[in-house]
Amino acid sequence: MVELEKEVLPLPPRYRFRDLLLGDWQADDRVQVEFYVNENTFKERLKLFFIKNQRSSLRVRLFNFFLKVLSCLLYILRVLLDDPRAETEERSLIIWVNRPLPLWALQVTSLILSLWLSSFYDCLCDGNVWEQVLRIPFILEMISAVPFVITVILPSVRNLFIPVFLNCWLAKHALENMINDLHRAIQRTHSAMFNQVLILISTLVCLMFTCICGIQHLERAGNNLTLFDSLYFCVVTFSTVGFGDVTPKIWPSQLLVVIMICVALIVLPIQFEQLAFLWMERQKSGGNYSRYRAQTEKHVVLCVSCLKIDLLMDFLNEFFAHPRLQDYYVVILCPAEMDVQVRRVLHIPLWAQRVIYLQGSALKDQDLMRAKMDDAEGCFILSNRFEVDRFAADHQTILRAWAVKDFAPNCPLYVQILKPENKFHVKFADHVVCEEEFKYAMLALNCVCPATSTLITLLIHSSRGQECGANSADEWQRTYRRCSANEVHHIRLEESKFFGEYQGKSFTFASFHAHKKYGVCLIGVRRLDTANILLNPGPCHIMGASDTCFYINISKEENSAFVRDHREPMRGAGGEARGVPQTIYHGLTRLPVHSIIASMGTVAIDLQDSSDSSPEGNTLALPALADSAEERRHSIAPVLELVDGVNGATFDLLGDQSEDEGGEEGKEEGNSDQKLPWVKGYPLNSPYIGSSPALCHLLQEKMPFCCLRLDKACPHIPFEDARSYGFKNKLIIVSAESAGNGLYNFIVPLRAYYRPRKELNPIVLLLERNEHCVAGCFQP
């Protein structure tokens, strides 16, 4: 072992780390490498200026296009100045022409410059030389320019006929290259339809121009046609009309007509086929939303990954239900092709003029530009609710939201997210709706107040109450159909007939009597100096003339008719009409009347106790009738017009109500609850980033995970089932696949701080997979 170590030689000095730090390696020979050396050559500099630089290349190609067009115009000028009657032989009329000296000089100059530019570009381009020489554009350049070079050397052949009109095809080729350089220079691209239409039009012009000039020249030895006569003949021939008043006389012109017709039958169908294919693809992709419409009309953009007919109809019906949105256009941006059902719906006249479908992705700036996202009034990004992998669906939504925000930062953004833990990534959006968060919160509200989810669902969905169930034999179906048309409307109190007479009265008084008199339900108000909406502020709020009233009704007040002195049938004992109106309160006599407050984010429903302490029980019952049958009661129970002498703490919705209910018995239970290790505070561990803190009942110490399981006993709790605990309140059983983060939104509303402790229901999680629930370790 010692011998092997002796055989290992030490590293040279320049490879040791100590020498590298001390700088001894700088004395060694090193090679300096210069980059981009080839681009310093003369050829590379020319290529950089004439080809790689978009703007300079565009200028050169524009000059080349101008030379080609100039040569064609000079040819037309030569034809107009020519007099074929000066020649006597037919062959000389075809071979020789009359070309003035100034015109010849201009043609020689333009064609030699054009040939030099073409040769120069071919030399700069990398590739085989023979491939560059044998290209059709270069051959046409040689046919047009080389004879003029010969006329410079031999002045005797200066009047030789040269087919300069073939330069129209070179002008077409230069135009295509110029359009490509224009797209590169302005960093914008026209659609493929525009390019194809341009190619088709230029092809037709070149065919017509070639045929006109060829027939006119060959007929110098025949009918001596002018350019206009040749134009007339070509139009009549190519349009398949064929009047026969102008016909070619000699066989060379007749042969040219046959050749041009054959070329047109081959070239034009190919061009039209490509144009038709692009048109069909354009119809599938939806084309573009024009800039003029975007600047003169209002539109919103709907971005979805997969468009289904149910999602489309729900969005369109709810969006256009608002009267202020009737003039808006909806631009749908979807990467998938329209299915048959969506296509059929968009062909309906109701939606055909309002909805525009664009096939494209929100991740591409070009597609966002097609939808004119920067001019849109808003962008709605919806997730695919039917996606199996909900996290993958949210990831697509997040990427689309980032792309839209980066492209159009001033466009209002409305995002739908499926999983609550992904809300943090789209917090920059103006409005974010989490489906799973909303779903669990609605389930929690149903546990507190049954049918709350049905009420909220019907309020946020537009309906006229004319759906199925009108002729149903069940009373509940007819009631459900009639009441499903209720929506939330708003109006200023001073402009309202419903609530104008209650100015200066308490909110409770106005809400109760407006419902009794008009059948509308006042649920909230908003003062003029604030943007917050007060939902059921209670009797402490005094109605002002500038308050905005929010109420539930089938239609808004502006669309309602008022029938004065209308009396409904009175019903007394035994079912006979006596003096008490048959109202909706007759069907609500068995509802509990203790205070129920259900909270869900910014939505709060407060059902205050409106009963007196009568021994008949907690029911909403009509008071006893007076002797006079015509006497009408103004209220079911005493409702204060103004709060006078009432303790403000009684109406404190944010206070602890567990010590205020139930009289002495409630106080005893409240005192016993103080012995329990419960506190009011915010959960220590939030299950996902971005959740707003919620004040609720908590345990002072974290409960071990073993104590949360009901199927097994632990050293702390010996019970093995729910019955052994002896719960006084009914259980709430939640069946789920796993303890997802969305359960946080289910547990917190049921443990909200304003709920009395004696009314808290035990929550049992029935999970398929045994997972640890963080939110339940601090909940009582």
Side-chain angles (χ1 to χ4, degrees):
M1 192 67 181
V2 177
E3 295 179 356
L4 292 176
E5 292 180 355
K6 291 182 179 179
E7 293 179 359
V8 177
L9 299 177
L11 290 174
R14 64 174 179 269
Y15 293 112
R16 292 183 299 187
F17 184 71
R18 178 176 59 84
D19 299 327
L20 182 65
L21 293 179
L22 295 178
D24 296 338
W25 57 273
Q26 296 179 357
D28 299 337
D29 296 335
R30 298 188 57 83
V31 178
Q32 182 180 0
V33 180
E34 295 183 359
F35 301 98
Y36 301 104
V37 176
N38 291 331
E39 290 192 0
N40 294 328
T41 62
F42 182 71
K43 181 179 179 180
E44 289 296 331
R45 291 180 180 180
L46 291 178
K47 186 184 296 185
L48 179 64
F49 180 80
F50 286 98
I51 298 177
K52 295 182 180 180
N53 192 330
Q54 294 90 354
R55 296 187 179 276
S56 59
S57 176
L58 177 62
R59 296 188 186 100
V60 175
R61 292 188 185 276
L62 182 61
F63 177 70
N64 189 21
F65 175 75
F66 171 75
L67 290 178
K68 301 298 189 295
V69 175
L70 178 62
S71 63
C72 295
L73 294 177
L74 292 177
Y75 178 84
I76 295 175
L77 181 60
R78 199 272 309 164
V79 172
L80 295 176
L81 296 178
D82 188 19
D83 187 9
R85 291 175 295 181
E87 300 291 339
T88 57
E89 297 181 3
E90 294 183 359
R91 294 183 178 179
S92 62
L93 289 175
I94 298 177
I95 299 176
W96 303 99
V97 295
N98 184 18
R99 183 178 292 113
L101 182 60
L103 183 62
W104 171 81
L106 290 176
Q107 285 185 320
V108 170
T109 305
S110 62
L111 290 174
I112 291 179
L113 283 177
S114 177
L115 178 62
W116 178 81
L117 281 177
S118 299
S119 303
F120 182 74
Y121 264 100
D122 293 340
C123 294
L124 290 180
C125 295
D126 298 330
N128 192 356
V129 177
W130 289 106
E131 291 181 358
Q132 301 292 337
V133 172
L134 296 179
R135 290 188 307 113
I136 294 179
F138 187 79
I139 294 176
L140 292 178
E141 289 278 0
M142 298 295 292
I143 293 174
S144 302
V146 171
F148 275 98
V149 176
I150 296 176
T151 59
V152 175
I153 301 174
L154 300 175
S156 59
V157 295
R158 191 185 64 185
N159 291 330
L160 180 68
F161 171 73
I162 303 172
V164 183
F165 57 84
L166 295 179
N167 276 0
C168 64
W169 297 98
L170 298 176
K172 171 182 173 294
H173 181 68
L175 179 63
E176 296 177 3
N177 295 332
M178 185 177 63
I179 293 298
N180 295 333
D181 288 339
L182 179 62
H183 291 169
R184 290 193 307 164
I186 64 177
Q187 299 296 324
R188 292 180 62 181
T189 58
H190 292 283
S191 62
M193 179 66 65
F194 171 80
N195 296 337
Q196 190 62 37
V197 170
L198 181 64
I199 293 174
L200 177 60
I201 294 176
S202 59
T203 304
L204 287 175
V205 172
C206 292
L207 281 174
M208 292 291 294
F209 186 75
T210 304
C211 187
I212 291 170
C213 294
I215 291 176
Q216 186 276 333
H217 175 72
L218 294 176
E219 282 298 317
R220 293 175 79 246
N223 292 334
N224 192 14
L225 300 177
T226 62
L227 283 176
F228 182 78
D229 294 335
S230 300
L231 174 63
Y232 172 75
F233 170 75
C234 292
V235 171
V236 172
T237 302
F238 280 97
S239 62
T240 67
V241 176
F243 291 116
D245 52 348
V246 179
T247 57
K249 182 179 179 181
I250 59 176
W251 70 268
S253 59
Q254 295 174 354
L255 180 61
L256 178 62
V257 171
V258 173
I259 294 175
M260 295 306 297
I261 291 176
C262 294
V263 172
L265 292 178
I266 295 174
V267 175
L268 292 182
I270 296 176
Q271 300 291 337
F272 279 110
E273 181 184 4
Q274 295 178 357
L275 184 62
F277 175 77
L278 291 176
W279 176 259
M280 295 176 61
E281 292 296 325
R282 179 185 177 91
Q283 292 298 318
K284 292 181 181 179
S285 62
N288 298 333
Y289 187 73
S290 65
R291 176 68 64 179
Y292 174 77
R293 294 185 61 182
Q295 294 177 354
T296 58
E297 301 169 350
K298 296 181 179 180
H299 77 285
V300 297
V301 181
L302 173 63
C303 298
V304 291
S305 59
C306 182
L307 186 61
K308 298 298 182 181
I309 186 63
D310 296 337
L311 173 64
L312 176 63
M313 295 309 301
D314 289 342
F315 179 84
L316 293 180
N317 290 328
E318 298 301 330
F319 182 81
F320 288 108
H322 200 284
R324 295 184 180 179
L325 303 178
Q326 297 297 321
D327 297 334
Y328 280 65
Y329 289 85
V330 176
V331 179
I332 302 175
L333 187 61
C334 179
E337 186 179 348
M338 279 191 298
D339 56 9
V340 178
Q341 294 181 343
V342 174
R343 190 184 303 274
R344 187 182 300 115
V345 169
L346 296 184
H347 285 169
I348 299 176
L350 178 62
W351 309 119
Q353 304 299 327
R354 294 183 174 184
V355 183
I356 301 172
Y357 187 92
L358 302 181
Q359 184 177 355
S361 174
L363 302 179
K364 299 180 180 179
D365 290 347
Q366 182 177 1
D367 293 332
L368 295 178
M369 190 181 303
R370 290 171 52 206
K372 302 300 179 291
M373 184 68 71
D374 50 347
D375 294 329
E377 301 294 328
C379 177
F380 297 87
I381 301 179
L382 305 184
S383 300
N384 186 10
R385 295 175 295 179
F386 306 100
E387 184 71 30
V388 178
D389 190 353
R390 300 175 72 86
F391 281 99
D394 279 349
H395 294 166
Q396 297 178 7
T397 303
I398 293 170
L399 290 177
R400 291 199 298 269
W402 287 353
V404 172
K405 193 65 177 179
D406 180 69
F407 182 83
N410 297 326
C411 180
L413 198 58
Y414 306 86
V415 182
Q416 178 195 12
I417 288 292
L418 300 180
K419 305 295 290 185
E421 50 266 36
N422 294 326
K423 288 177 59 179
F424 173 75
H425 302 290
V426 290
K427 65 178 183 179
F428 55 84
D430 297 86
H431 300 278
V432 180
V433 176
C434 180
E435 180 180 300
E436 188 170 309
E437 186 180 67
F438 189 82
K439 178 180 64 177
Y440 280 108
M442 296 287 285
L443 291 176
L445 287 178
N446 280 339
C447 297
V448 177
C449 181
T452 304
S453 62
T454 304
L455 172 64
I456 297 178
T457 303
L458 292 178
L459 288 178
I460 63 178
H461 281 78
S462 300
S463 172
R464 298 182 64 88
Q466 299 176 357
E467 287 76 8
C468 59
N471 301 324
S472 176
D474 296 333
E475 177 64 25
W476 72 270
Q477 292 187 7
R478 295 194 297 269
T479 304
Y480 182 90
R481 169 187 172 275
R482 183 178 65 256
C483 298
S484 63
N486 283 299
E487 296 181 357
V488 179
H489 308 279
H490 65 279
I491 191 174
R492 289 176 64 91
L493 186 136
E494 59 184 358
E495 302 173 358
S496 173
K497 294 183 179 180
F498 288 156
F499 315 108
E501 57 184 295
Y502 306 115
Q503 180 179 350
K505 304 295 192 302
S506 65
F507 175 86
T508 308
F509 183 87
S511 176
F512 181 84
H513 288 278
H515 184 272
K516 181 181 178 182
K517 185 175 182 180
Y518 299 104
V520 298
C521 181
L522 180 63
I523 60 173
V525 293
R526 182 182 62 193
R527 293 192 177 276
L528 184 62
D529 55 348
T530 181
N532 297 327
I533 301 176
L534 304 177
L535 294 179
N536 194 8
C540 295
H541 179 82
I542 306 302
M543 306 294 292
S546 60
D547 289 351
T548 302
C549 302
F550 293 85
Y551 61 96
I552 299 176
N553 196 23
I554 293 180
S555 65
K556 57 183 180 180
E557 183 178 334
E558 292 84 348
N559 299 336
S560 304
F562 298 89
V563 181
R564 301 296 181 181
D565 300 332
H566 175 70
R567 292 180 177 272
E568 296 181 355
M570 305 301 175
R571 187 177 303 274
E576 298 179 357
R578 293 187 57 184
V580 180
Q582 177 68 15
T583 64
I584 195 172
Y585 298 109
H586 181 74
L588 301 176
T589 55
R590 296 185 179 181
L591 289 180
V593 296
H594 53 270
S595 177
I596 299 175
I597 304 179
S599 176
M600 182 192 64
T602 58
V603 179
I605 302 174
D606 184 11
L607 306 178
Q608 294 290 343
D609 187 1
S610 58
S611 64
D612 53 4
S613 57
S614 60
E616 297 179 359
N618 292 333
T619 58
L620 285 175
L622 293 175
L625 295 176
D627 296 336
S628 175
E630 295 297 326
E631 184 178 358
R632 298 175 61 90
R633 297 291 182 181
H634 295 284
S635 63
I636 295 178
V639 180
L640 299 177
E641 296 185 10
L642 297 175
V643 181
D644 186 15
V646 180
N647 187 6
T650 307
F651 306 102
D652 185 11
L653 300 181
L654 301 180
D656 188 2
Q657 300 179 6
S658 60
E659 291 81 13
D660 299 334
E661 299 182 0
E664 296 296 332
E665 182 180 357
K667 292 181 180 180
E668 294 177 0
E669 293 181 0
N671 294 333
S672 63
D673 288 341
Q674 295 294 335
K675 301 177 182 179
L676 298 177
W678 289 14
V679 294
K680 291 182 180 180
Y682 299 101
L684 300 180
N685 296 326
S686 177
Y688 58 88
I689 302 176
S691 61
S692 58
L695 191 63
C696 57
H697 294 288
L698 298 175
L699 297 177
Q700 291 184 354
E701 299 180 357
K702 180 179 179 181
M703 183 179 296
F705 179 67
C706 60
C707 299
L708 297 177
R709 304 190 58 175
L710 294 180
D711 56 343
K712 294 182 180 179
C714 67
H716 311 90
I717 300 178
F719 305 137
E720 297 183 357
D721 53 16
R723 183 175 298 178
S724 302
Y725 282 84
F727 295 123
K728 296 182 180 179
N729 297 333
K730 295 182 179 180
L731 298 179
I732 297 178
I733 302 177
V734 182
S735 178
E737 181 179 358
S738 60
N741 294 330
L743 288 175
Y744 177 84
N745 302 281
F746 180 85
I747 297 176
V748 170
L750 297 177
R751 294 294 181 265
Y753 73 98
Y754 45 73
R755 298 200 62 205
R757 297 176 182 176
K758 63 180 180 180
E759 296 182 3
L760 298 182
N761 299 88
I763 302 175
V764 178
L765 302 180
L766 189 60
L767 305 177
E768 295 183 5
R769 295 199 298 263
N770 187 12
E771 295 182 355
H772 184 58
C773 185
V774 180
C777 294
F778 289 95
Q779 302 293 341

